[in-house]
Amino acid sequence: MNSDDSAIQFGVVPPGIAKTMSGLQLLTGIIEGTLPAPPIQKALDFRPVEVARGFITFVGNPKFEYYNPLGSVHGGYTAALLDSCMACAIHSTLEAGYSYATIEIKINYVRSITCETGEVRAEGKVINSGKRIATGEGRLFDSAGKLYAHGTTTCLILTL
């Protein structure tokens, strides 16, 4: 983790509290540190840094520990980061009392990531949000704006 992340509290927002908050309120609380960050954020060293209705940005730090046998960061890291940003973009549009579940993701890998790539930025945005189904897209860039991967998601909207 980055040294500035040492004060982050990790955990799960209790369901009784989560269902009283809009998705935007919940995600803002995680970014501001008033709500616990999900444990995957610690495990894969990525975090949300900006959120607005229908849009979110995550940053991540690819590490050598994430390498596959081919000498680059495993595609699962990229998929997890894009899945998170795309689904959270959808979550940011949901009113209190609603949640979501990812039904499908598709990831297009444009180039490999290594630990020398440096910090990566994943931007997710909503394509369409209906009563039961929402779709979103995401793009993963390095600090120079070079594209590494992009994807789409479909999520089922659930009543809590």
Side-chain angles (χ1 to χ4, degrees):
M1 294 297 295
N2 295 327
S3 60
D4 60 340
D5 288 345
S6 60
I8 293 175
Q9 296 297 311
F10 296 97
V12 178
V13 178
I17 293 172
K19 71 189 266 183
T20 67
M21 305 175 79
S22 71
L24 186 57
Q25 289 172 319
L26 186 136
L27 293 164
T28 299
I30 291 170
I31 290 171
E32 292 175 347
T34 58
L35 294 172
I40 193 169
Q41 182 176 312
K42 182 176 184 180
L44 295 180
D45 198 9
F46 65 72
R47 67 190 182 285
V49 294
E50 174 186 10
V51 67
R53 184 173 171 81
F55 178 83
I56 194 162
T57 302
F58 280 73
V59 294
N61 296 293
K63 297 179 180 176
F64 179 75
E65 291 88 344
Y66 307 154
Y67 272 40
N68 60 33
L70 303 174
S72 61
V73 171
H74 190 280
Y77 175 82
T78 300
L81 193 46
L82 284 171
D83 180 36
S84 295
C85 80
M86 295 183 298
C88 286
I90 289 167
H91 193 187
S92 74
T93 67
L94 301 180
E95 298 300 322
Y98 291 92
S99 186
Y100 67 92
T102 300
I103 298 173
E104 171 271 339
I105 63 171
K106 179 181 186 322
I107 306 296
N108 296 286
Y109 300 94
V110 176
R111 58 181 45 89
S112 62
I113 297 172
T114 67
C115 53
E116 288 82 32
T117 301
E119 185 176 83
V120 292
R121 181 177 184 91
E123 297 177 354
K125 67 180 182 177
V126 171
I127 297 171
N128 185 66
S129 188
K131 276 188 153 185
R132 297 289 294 155
I133 300 289
T135 56
E137 63 185 2
R139 296 176 185 270
L140 183 68
F141 305 94
D142 67 10
S143 62
K146 186 184 291 186
L147 182 67
Y148 282 77
H150 56 94
T152 56
T153 192
T154 304
C155 292
L156 177 65
I157 307 302
L158 305 168
T159 304
L160 294 175

